[in-house]
Amino acid sequence: MIKFITADEVLAIRNQVLREGHLPLNECRFATDTLPGSFHLGYFNQEALVCIVSFHLQNYPNIAGTGYQLRGMASLPEYQGKGIGTQLVDYAINYLKQQQADHVWCNARKKAMPFYERLGFSVMSDEFEVPGIGPHFAMCLQLKQTTPGTVI
């Protein structure tokens, strides 16, 4: 089951999966977690939270319209590769379309690129290093179809 959750509820999985359990939970907070327009989703197996993702209002540079950045996508190891993350992001995409968002983007870890490509995201940058985490690529998904201009 997918639910909207609080910023506090994402911290344990963020730490375990994205920071390998090395940080105090408070250090797993993003400055954007509680900004207006930010939201967090969780996938629950029975009562257990097993997958999380966070979004905040922020346009990707040089792309017009309303954008949201996806951050902190993480599934517990025993739930990875089962389609749960895909369900969670699909739910978010549908929600963002209802909110009239134009695009969603992320800084994807290099090893997660195939996941985002399967969801329709396109690579927007050269590879870059996030210190202490590893190689990343900016990726973006257009949520609204644009009508190409007519050439006469």
Side-chain angles (χ1 to χ4, degrees):
M1 175 187 299
I2 296 171
K3 296 180 186 178
F4 286 87
I5 58 175
T6 67
D8 288 341
E9 289 175 287
V10 303
L11 298 178
I13 292 178
R14 254 189 213 165
N15 186 40
Q16 180 180 343
V17 176
L18 301 177
R19 302 297 183 258
E20 299 175 346
H22 297 298
L23 297 177
L25 291 186
N26 234 18
E27 290 183 31
C28 296
R29 292 183 192 282
F30 299 147
T32 55
D33 277 344
T34 56
L35 291 178
S38 295
F39 67 96
H40 311 275
L41 294 172
Y43 185 99
F44 289 80
N45 180 20
Q46 316 256 335
E47 297 297 315
L49 181 60
V50 300
C51 184
I52 57 158
V53 66
S54 299
F55 294 85
H56 70 274
L57 190 60
Q58 183 173 336
N59 291 357
Y60 185 79
N62 302 316
I63 295 183
T66 302
Y68 278 80
Q69 184 180 6
L70 177 161
R71 292 192 73 188
M73 176 78 210
S75 296
L76 292 176
E78 60 270 29
Y79 292 92
Q80 292 175 7
K82 299 182 184 299
I84 292 171
T86 298
Q87 290 178 52
L88 201 56
V89 175
D90 281 344
Y91 185 95
I93 289 168
N94 287 327
Y95 174 75
L96 289 169
K97 286 178 179 178
Q98 292 171 8
Q99 303 306 306
Q100 303 302 309
D102 296 291
H103 63 277
V104 61
W105 66 280
C106 65
N107 290 323
R109 291 176 188 226
K110 186 174 183 177
K111 68 181 181 180
M113 284 180 62
F115 169 79
Y116 292 106
E117 287 172 334
R118 284 191 304 273
L119 289 164
F121 284 72
S122 299
V123 175
M124 302 297 288
S125 73
D126 292 332
E127 183 176 316
F128 61 94
E129 188 77 17
V130 174
I133 298 174
H136 284 65
F137 289 85
M139 300 185 78
C140 187
L141 174 67
Q142 289 290 337
L143 300 177
K144 292 183 178 176
Q145 299 298 320
T146 56
T147 305
T150 304
V151 178
I152 301 176

